[in-house]
Amino acid sequence: MLPDAEANADADAVEGIVRLATESATEFASGFAAGLLDPSQPAPSFLVAEASGLHVKRYDVYRNNVTSSLIDAVRAIYPAVERITGPDFFRAMARQYVRSCPPAGPLLHDYGREFAVFIENYRYARDMPWLADVARIERAWLDAYHAQDHAVVQAGVLADLDPGMLGRLRLVAHPAARVLRSRYPAVTIFSANKQGGATIPVCSSAAEDCLVTRPEADVIVSSLPPGGAAFLQSLMQDRNLADAVAAALEDAPTFDLGANLAGAFSAGAFISFDIGCE
């Protein structure tokens, strides 16, 4: 066999070995993971141990550790929800969640995005209809915490603009800025349960909207006045100021442009602006 032919044959052999090893490892991993979050599944048949049945016990221990670790990850993301429900209720709810929604990636702080939807459909939480929205605020808080840092613009920059051009103004939202709306007093409930200490009773049934931002190191959750959510959502969808005001007034006829702009700038909601050529 010629040298080049031998080299090609060796390369083909190595490639075949790597491919078989990869397929074998993938098959092993899939088989091993299949029952980790489903206690009704038996231990993989390919596991062996020096004593009969020991591999089953070891697999059960590992399965329990995986479930407990994922429950702890959900607890770390949603401390206010846990404080509201109590640890036993939360752990039972989180266990059902991790079994039905396993992680799709390796970053645990990115896990749990479907938890609010799960809570909405969790029958034992039906007497807490606001709980899912509290979870949404808590998820937004974490996302804002991990968002990219960026300097913010202050309201004073608008003073130098031609008043006749303000309607064409477009504002760029901070990477951490998020707007959430709730039919319940979810913002008040979240704020009352985010930190430790005595729980403050919530004596309200009013709908609440909020702006979540992180202009510097700390995440800020600000309640929004009437029309504020529609106004900010429009701006975040790259609509100009005139269109955003129209959307806000349609949502709440008492919308106050000055108060809403001042509050949004104060919370660090924007990083830049542009006057379009419309």
Side-chain angles (χ1 to χ4, degrees):
M1 184 179 293
L2 297 175
D4 288 347
E6 291 180 357
N8 290 335
D10 289 343
D12 290 342
V14 170
E15 182 180 349
I17 293 171
V18 171
R19 183 173 63 254
L20 288 173
T22 301
E23 292 173 353
S24 178
T26 301
E27 183 179 352
F28 177 88
S30 298
F32 189 83
L36 285 180
L37 296 177
D38 186 356
S40 67
Q41 293 290 325
S45 58
F46 51 74
L47 295 181
V48 295
E50 60 273 14
S52 176
L54 186 59
H55 65 290
V56 175
K57 294 180 180 179
R58 289 176 174 172
Y59 186 77
D60 286 342
V61 170
Y62 188 80
R63 172 158 48 195
N64 182 68
N65 289 341
V66 168
T67 300
S68 294
S69 296
L70 291 176
I71 291 173
D72 287 342
V74 178
R75 288 180 63 238
I77 297 169
Y78 298 99
V81 174
E82 183 185 27
R83 191 157 185 256
I84 292 167
T85 64
D88 293 340
F89 185 101
F90 186 91
R91 196 164 189 87
M93 180 169 62
R95 181 177 290 107
Q96 291 299 315
Y97 172 73
V98 301
R99 288 175 177 171
S100 62
C101 300
L107 300 178
L108 287 183
H109 79 260
D110 205 37
Y111 182 49
R113 294 191 177 277
E114 309 88 353
F115 194 48
V117 175
F118 176 86
I119 292 173
E120 283 181 326
N121 296 287
Y122 188 61
R123 60 175 179 166
Y124 300 110
R126 287 175 183 168
D127 60 345
M128 296 179 283
W130 33 263
L131 190 63
D133 286 343
V134 173
R136 289 186 175 93
I137 297 172
E138 202 146 37
R139 177 79 245 182
W141 189 100
L142 184 68
D143 289 342
Y145 180 81
H146 287 288
Q148 179 183 357
D149 294 334
H150 206 294
V152 301
V153 293
Q154 303 298 328
V157 301
L158 303 183
D160 297 328
L161 299 179
D162 181 349
M165 302 175 66
L166 285 178
R168 290 157 37 188
L169 177 70
R170 295 180 190 274
L171 290 158
V172 179
H174 192 287
R178 283 141 176 82
V179 173
L180 295 98
R181 311 196 69 172
S182 176
R183 294 179 295 157
Y184 308 99
V187 183
T188 300
I189 295 170
F190 166 79
S191 300
N193 289 278
K194 180 62 178 174
Q195 303 297 332
T199 301
I200 303 171
V202 176
C203 302
S204 172
S205 59
E208 292 182 342
D209 304 326
C210 71
L211 169 66
V212 181
T213 53
R214 185 180 59 78
E216 296 181 350
D218 297 326
V219 177
I220 302 171
V221 178
S222 308
S223 294
L224 290 172
F231 176 65
L232 290 174
Q233 286 175 333
S234 295
L235 290 175
M236 290 178 180
Q237 293 166 2
D238 197 32
R239 298 174 69 181
N240 63 32
L241 187 64
D243 288 342
V245 170
L249 288 170
E250 182 178 353
D251 185 71
T254 60
F255 173 74
D256 184 329
L257 174 59
N260 276 273
L261 270 179
F265 275 109
S266 176
F270 307 115
I271 60 173
S272 64
F273 67 94
D274 177 61
I275 298 293
C277 300
E278 300 172 7

